[in-house]
Amino acid sequence: MNRRKIVSLLLASVVVLSVILTGCQGSGDTNSEKVVKLQLSHQVSPKHSINETAMKFAELVKEKSEGTMEIEIFPSGSLGTERENLEALGNGSLDMAVIAVEFYPALVEEAGVFVLPYMYDNYEHQTAVLKGEAGKMLSDMILDKTGARVLSYYPLAFRQVVTTDKPIHTVEDIKGLKIRVPESPTYVNTFTLLGAAPTPVAWGETYTALETNVVSGMENTPESMYSASMHEVVKYINITDHISAPTTFSISDQVFEDLTEEQKTIISEAAQEATDFGLELTIANDTKFREELAKNIEVIETDKESMRNAINYDAFNVMKLESAKKLKELIDAAR
């Protein structure tokens, strides 16, 4: 083989090797640049159904984007409280968060309508409300006043009342009972209207408060009550269905507007599909934990109509707003 041919072969080899190396390096950089990573914060433990729904959302985003978008989930309040998360969404320092509707009224007073007692007849009605005109109207208000964009609403379980000594067959039976409630005007007003003596107690102190008769009952979802072993210190679960407070998958509008149109579509569709999955999980877990509680305490089918009739919506400050009245009309129309 002559010298010129050897040199030609060597040069060809160098070119091929250079193309291979450049191609590998370029491919890595391109993929790195294409992958959009968004952080999602929520408050509950990794074992909770909300986290399972968040994981489903991340899975759907990755699948729909063919790996070019990823959602990193931060559970257990590791990126701050829900109130702090909402503020961070507004200023763009946090990408996404699961924000309960009951946290929005501090900035969007009308949001309080969505967590008033006996707003929803059942999960079907609630879903129609959240996906319908009322849900869109509230989403627009939230976006305008907070800088957070609601991608989808996530229905949570209806709340029930457990009592230590006295079953609640009708609203008359709750009169005078000291019922533990969260430190929220909505819950305090609700149980005041029902004739009870609402008593705010920290969640971590509720078990002892029931055990020592500081309070005669408490309210929450069956999942929360069972996981906190409240069935050990009460005798009755009264099916009141008094409040179902939905939560949201929300994104910073600043972050959302930086996405391409295709990415916006992907994340919006994935959020809706994930919360549809979450609703099925909510219903399944609600049934499961009611059954678990029923193994230990007596189930009372409370006359919910007598409870509903005791609620005067004019007693809630939010109902003084014309926009809030419009929201309630839309909720009622979805029945």
Side-chain angles (χ1 to χ4, degrees), residues 45-57:
S45 76
K47 295 180 180 179
H48 198 283
S49 56
I50 287 178
N51 186 66
E52 193 171 341
T53 302
M55 290 174 63
K56 181 68 174 179
F57 171 62

Side-chain angles (χ1 to χ4, degrees), residues 18-268:
S18 175
V19 169
I20 291 172
L21 290 173
T22 303
C24 289
Q25 184 179 1
S27 172
D29 288 347
T30 301
N31 286 341
S32 175
E33 290 171 0
K34 282 185 178 179
V35 174
V36 174
K37 293 186 178 181
L38 301 176
Q39 296 183 336
L40 185 152
S41 171
H42 67 71
Q43 303 301 305
V44 298
S45 76
K47 295 180 180 179
H48 198 283
S49 56
I50 287 178
N51 186 66
E52 193 171 341
T53 302
M55 290 174 63
K56 181 68 174 179
F57 171 62
E59 176 189 318
L60 287 165
V61 168
K62 188 170 185 178
E63 177 186 307
K64 288 175 179 290
S65 69
E66 298 181 344
T68 62
M69 297 181 75
E70 293 181 4
I71 306 296
E72 298 178 285
I73 300 167
F74 293 82
S76 305
S78 56
L79 295 186
T81 66
E82 212 152 347
R83 198 174 299 281
E84 290 168 342
N85 284 176
L86 177 53
E87 182 180 342
L89 291 180
N91 62 35
S93 60
L94 176 65
D95 300 325
M96 299 186 64
V98 176
I99 303 289
V101 172
E102 62 193 51
F103 278 90
Y104 282 111
L107 299 173
V108 187
E109 195 172 353
E110 293 89 343
V113 177
F114 278 57
V115 294
L116 289 179
Y118 296 105
M119 273 289 101
Y120 313 108
D121 295 338
N122 46 43
Y123 291 115
E124 184 178 11
H125 175 220
Q126 186 181 46
T127 301
V129 168
L130 299 177
K131 288 189 175 185
E133 192 176 348
K136 184 181 185 310
M137 181 177 171
L138 181 60
S139 295
D140 290 343
M141 290 177 179
I142 289 172
L143 177 59
D144 180 56
K145 295 181 180 180
T146 72
R149 179 182 290 269
V150 174
L151 293 171
S152 62
Y153 293 95
Y154 177 14
L156 298 180
F158 282 84
R159 298 168 81 98
Q160 317 300 339
V161 177
V162 289
T163 46
T164 54
D165 297 308
K166 183 180 179 182
I168 301 171
H169 294 285
T170 74
V171 71
E172 293 300 317
D173 297 322
I174 202 172
K175 292 191 183 303
L177 286 183
K178 293 183 72 175
I179 304 294
R180 179 271 174 187
V181 297
E183 294 184 35
S184 159
T186 298
Y187 289 89
V188 171
N189 286 350
T190 295
F191 281 87
T192 298
L193 290 168
L194 293 173
T199 308
V201 176
W203 177 246
E205 299 171 9
T206 301
Y207 183 101
T208 301
L210 288 165
E211 189 176 35
T212 57
N213 295 315
V214 170
V215 293
S216 302
M218 55 86 66
E219 64 78 55
N220 213 307
T221 64
E223 180 177 5
S224 294
M225 291 190 287
Y226 186 80
S227 63
S229 301
M230 298 299 178
H231 53 279
E232 295 176 353
V233 288
V234 298
K235 293 181 181 178
Y236 306 99
I237 176 169
N238 308 277
I239 307 302
T240 55
D241 289 341
H242 53 279
I243 286 177
S244 175
T247 190
T248 68
F249 273 75
S250 294
I251 186 170
S252 167
D253 193 50
Q254 294 180 41
V255 172
F256 187 78
E257 290 302 331
D258 281 341
L259 300 175
T260 67
E261 290 305 312
E262 182 182 8
Q263 289 168 340
K264 289 177 183 178
T265 299
I266 287 171
I267 208 161
S268 298

